[in-house]
Amino acid sequence: MAADKEKNSIPNLDPGVHVSEINNGAHRPGISMAEVADYYSKWAEQYDSDIKMRYLGPSYAYKALAEEFPLSTTDRKNISILDVACGTGLLGEKLYEEGFTNLDGLDPSEKMLDVARAKNIYNTLYCEFMSDAKLPIDNDRYSCVMVSGGMGEGHIPCAAAAEMIRIVKPGGFVIIAMREAYLSNVKDYDGKLDNHFLKLQDEGRWKMCSRTVVPKYSFDNNGVIYKFQVCSK
């Protein structure tokens, strides 16, 4: 019975494929950003039930944010946040529950956004890719940009970090939660992502507050949580 509950819900994949394999399919070598969006669109209706108990990324990302905006001293509803690669809104739900209600979301899959929209936790939802292309968002718009689960093969490229910095206020934060293994097995990140982050720090664009490896981030795989503070521009 447990195995049945994990069977694939994506059309055009063999029945019986387990959820971890479905997730890996969204990160298969050579997948394009457009193919990623299409893949998640096919998964959208079943995504929450497939992933929620196997994915701790939202909890880790929230913890990193809460360190900067503790409930005891912060009016959290005034902290403006963009949830990048928000998908169906798993991170948004966690943030909203903890008082961060000034939320926008961004994702390239309209069907994933349809699920997120029904939760009534986001003010604005953007159907956009996070890349090096300029988004329809003003400079210095947010207190924080958060990415939980949006990094991977064919997902957010290294070059997107500059766009994240552009839309965050000076003194605000960028928080990125991702699977640690992607640092070595994703072509765009292998030997590049950490170096790119450090280059932006050397340029005075942001400073790294923390880089934390965490257990059981996703399907019992370790994760890494980055937190950067954006510098004056």
Side-chain angles (χ1 to χ4, degrees):
M1 183 64 70
D4 289 341
K5 290 181 180 179
E6 291 193 347
K7 285 184 179 179
N8 132 60
S9 59
I10 302 180
N12 304 319
L13 292 181
D14 292 335
V17 174
H18 284 212
V19 176
S20 61
E21 296 175 64
I22 297 172
N23 187 71
N24 290 341
H27 298 265
R28 65 182 184 270
I31 192 170
S32 70
M33 293 177 74
E35 288 171 330
V36 167
D38 181 64
Y39 194 95
Y40 283 113
S41 289
K42 292 175 181 176
W43 195 4
E45 290 185 5
Q46 196 65 27
Y47 184 84
D48 281 9
S49 60
D50 282 349
I51 288 292
K52 202 164 189 176
M53 301 305 294
R54 303 171 178 88
Y55 175 49
L56 300 181
S59 294
Y60 284 124
Y62 161 72
K63 181 179 178 181
L65 181 68
E67 290 170 349
E68 304 303 328
F69 302 107
L71 184 59
S72 59
T73 60
T74 306
D75 187 356
R76 289 180 167 180
K77 68 178 182 294
N78 291 327
I79 307 303
S80 55
I81 298 171
L82 179 66
D83 179 4
V84 170
C86 65
T88 60
L90 293 181
L91 173 59
E93 286 182 278
K94 176 64 177 175
L95 297 176
Y96 198 92
E97 289 169 1
E98 299 293 345
F100 293 102
T101 57
N102 189 358
L103 288 173
D104 291 343
L106 180 147
D107 197 274
S109 168
E110 187 63 61
K111 290 188 178 179
M112 294 287 269
L113 291 178
D114 286 343
V115 178
R117 189 174 291 109
K119 295 177 180 179
N120 295 315
I121 56 176
Y122 295 100
N123 297 320
T124 301
L125 287 169
Y126 299 94
C127 189
E128 301 279 352
F129 290 98
M130 172 54 78
S131 67
D132 58 348
K134 188 173 183 179
L135 294 166
I137 297 173
D138 292 340
N139 294 350
D140 306 337
R141 169 68 179 82
Y142 294 102
S143 306
C144 185
V145 161
M146 303 187 72
V147 183
S148 179
M151 307 294 287
E153 186 75 31
H155 285 55
I156 297 172
C158 294
E163 183 64 1
M164 297 181 199
I165 291 170
R166 181 186 71 79
I167 61 177
V168 172
K169 302 172 185 178
F173 296 90
V174 175
I175 294 171
I176 299 172
M178 61 181 289
R179 192 180 290 195
E180 185 185 27
Y182 292 161
L183 294 173
S184 58
N185 64 23
V186 171
K187 184 178 180 181
D188 188 52
Y189 303 160
D190 184 17
K192 302 173 186 176
L193 188 64
D194 276 316
N195 288 339
H196 185 67
F197 288 167
L198 289 173
K199 179 176 181 289
L200 291 170
Q201 178 168 271
D202 291 342
E203 293 172 352
R205 306 285 299 281
W206 65 13
K207 64 179 181 180
M208 183 180 289
C209 303
S210 60
R211 180 188 187 280
T212 308
V213 175
V214 296
K216 297 181 183 267
Y217 165 83
S218 175
F219 296 98
D220 291 331
N221 295 283
N222 285 352
V224 58
I225 316 300
Y226 295 92
K227 180 164 55 178
F228 302 94
Q229 187 170 31
V230 173
C231 299
S232 298
K233 303 174 184 178

